[in-house]
Amino acid sequence: MAGVSTAAPPRRLLLGPGPSNVHPRVRRALAQPMLGHLDPVFLSVLDGVQAGLRRLFGTQNRMTLPLSGTGSAGMEACLVNLLEPGDPVVIGVAGVFGERMCEVARRAGARLTRVDAEPGTILEGDAMAEAIACTRPRLVAFVHAETSTGVAQPVEAIARAARDAGALVVLDCVTSLGGLAVELDAWGIDAAYSATQKCLSCPPGLSPASFSEAAVARVRARRVPVQSWYLDIHLLGGYFGSERVYHHTAPISMILGLAEALAMIEEEGMQARIERHHGAGEALVEGLHGLGFRPLVEARHRLPMLTSLRVPARFAPGEEAGLRRRLLDRYGIEVGGGLGRLAGQIWRIGLMGENARLTSVESLLSALRRELA
Ligand SMILES: *Cc1c(COP(=O)(O)O)cnc(C)c1O
């Protein structure tokens, strides 16, 4: 094969919106010899992964599993299982990922009411509550950590309004899980999904997800079958529940990698990990302030693991893309640009999982200082 050898890809410091760098312990787990998907040794690893995900999600939900697929597969699984054609749904849109939820719900034939937030701000609880009161939805969905803008969405008031109206609640935890507190049971969330390549610091490929008893009952009571055979949680329950019968072949290596990543999170302790993300995020904002980058999001709604910063006004159009490219080529550092409406206007810098350290901040700052000198 022409080009870069798979035996020696370049070393990168991945400070974009994901994937993040993978610890050598996880890489070793990924490289272990293959096991069968019904091998009792593998199944005990899977038991441990499911128990670890329950702790991380703050839930007792039996139906907690590593879905095969990336974060978007988790999004799709939650929405296509819990929505039937014609169902009213309220979706909060504070960026690209809320937008994506709307598209998935629309394709599932739901009757969509969307509540929009200005880019860089939270969804207002009152606006969500009003939409819920007006449309009596069967489902309410929104994003906890909006990676396209760097906003941390307060969850509890919206979840309460939804539950008071009898709706199930879906929460996107793709970027929050493993870096911020996630408490599905305390918050009253019925279905949530994440992805392995953000604050869990595994490669992309699995979507940790969890469904409450009420969510599972909703799927059981459907009038029409779930449109996706692959993501039907009733069918997935055959393998990821107590029976352990074949549905599809589990991604063995990825699950071994996730098991190691979860073990590392437990060794560190979730509270320490949250504080580590917080400290790194603050240091980043402070360091980049000196170089003329100003945060898009006000301090109290800022995500620690994904900081969006306005590109300095003195940059010519297109200059920011060239600078990001030089960071990659000369220093091996990847940072993200703006998505959607914010393309060309902001940078998105991730300090996720393994990368949420002052050393990552220092590496980026010293490279930027040299380039901007
Ligand atoms: C990354 C991301 C997704 C999509 O995950 P993929 O793994 O890219 O499919 C969904 N929601 C949020 C908030 C994300 O950051």
Side-chain angles (χ1 to χ4, degrees):
M1 194 186 83
V4 179
S5 162
T6 56
R11 296 239 163 208
R12 304 292 199 208
L13 178 58
L14 297 172
L15 304 184
S20 58
N21 288 91
V22 176
H23 192 278
R25 271 177 62 179
V26 173
R27 288 196 279 120
R28 269 197 299 279
L30 290 162
Q32 292 307 305
M34 196 49 54
L35 291 168
H37 67 112
L38 298 174
D39 187 311
V41 173
F42 175 70
L43 289 176
S44 75
V45 173
L46 182 57
D47 285 337
V49 164
Q50 291 182 272
L53 290 177
R54 285 187 196 100
R55 286 190 288 276
L56 204 55
F57 271 124
T59 185
Q60 309 273 351
N61 291 339
R62 271 168 26 89
M63 193 59 185
T64 300
L65 70 161
L67 279 171
S68 308
T70 65
S72 303
M75 179 188 293
E76 187 129 14
C78 290
L79 295 174
V80 302
N81 276 282
L82 298 177
L83 286 172
E84 295 193 61
D87 279 357
V89 58
V90 169
I91 296 180
V93 180
V96 167
F97 294 104
E99 196 81 57
R100 185 174 296 181
M101 282 179 155
C102 292
E103 178 60 18
V104 177
R106 201 181 58 73
R107 290 180 183 217
R111 276 196 290 126
L112 170 68
T113 301
R114 56 183 281 169
V115 175
D116 284 85
E118 276 302 305
T121 68
I122 59 165
L123 293 164
E124 290 302 335
D126 290 350
M128 286 293 285
E130 195 183 310
I132 291 164
C134 291
T135 64
R136 311 300 294 177
R138 294 197 82 207
L139 191 74
V140 172
F142 59 108
V143 176
H144 186 203
E146 182 45 85
T147 322
S148 65
T149 62
V151 166
Q153 176 65 47
V155 173
E156 286 175 89
I158 297 174
R160 202 176 312 115
R163 292 176 69 84
D164 287 350
L168 297 180
V169 189
V170 170
L171 188 65
D172 177 316
C173 298
V174 171
T175 288
S176 54
L177 193 72
L180 276 179
V182 172
E183 295 290 345
L184 299 187
D185 288 357
W187 295 345
I189 305 299
D190 292 289
Y193 57 93
S194 186
T196 40
Q197 77 273 22
K198 306 216 178 175
C199 292
L200 303 179
S201 277
C202 287
L206 293 175
S207 173
S210 187
F211 297 85
S212 71
E213 291 304 320
V216 172
R218 169 80 62 92
V219 179
R220 213 176 284 122
R222 286 177 66 100
R223 287 169 284 116
V224 294
V226 178
Q227 72 199 57
S228 166
W229 177 87
Y230 195 74
L231 297 174
D232 181 328
I233 62 161
H234 191 66
L235 299 178
L236 287 169
Y239 182 72
F240 291 98
S242 49
E243 288 172 76
R244 302 295 193 199
V245 294
Y246 172 69
H247 172 260
H248 67 271
T249 311
I252 307 297
S253 303
M254 284 298 304
I255 290 172
L256 296 181
L258 178 57
E260 191 63 26
L262 290 172
M264 291 182 65
I265 291 174
E266 301 219 343
E267 285 165 28
E268 179 175 17
M270 199 52 221
Q271 194 51 41
R273 194 174 176 91
I274 290 168
E275 283 162 21
R276 178 160 64 74
H277 280 83
H278 185 77
E282 295 226 304
L284 178 74
V285 170
E286 200 179 300
L288 281 170
H289 195 273
L291 293 171
F293 288 82
R294 298 286 178 268
L296 175 73
V297 180
E298 65 173 300
R300 67 193 166 123
H301 297 315
R302 223 172 268 159
L303 286 173
M305 69 285 283
L306 192 288
T307 303
S308 55
L309 297 137
R310 287 188 192 282
V311 172
R314 65 187 148 86
F315 281 28
E319 194 180 335
E320 63 84 23
L323 180 54
R324 282 191 284 121
R325 182 58 197 257
R326 292 204 301 282
L327 286 174
L328 188 68
D329 291 343
R330 296 182 181 165
Y331 307 89
I333 299 176
E334 179 178 280
V335 300
L339 264 190
R341 279 169 65 183
L342 295 167
Q345 297 178 30
I346 62 166
W347 276 13
R348 292 180 302 143
I349 303 178
L351 294 168
M352 297 181 176
E354 277 309 307
N355 295 344
R357 301 184 192 281
L358 298 181
T359 50
S360 317
V361 176
E362 279 310 318
S363 301
L364 175 63
L365 288 177
S366 72
L368 269 175
R369 281 192 200 107
R370 284 181 59 182
E371 286 300 313
L372 292 173

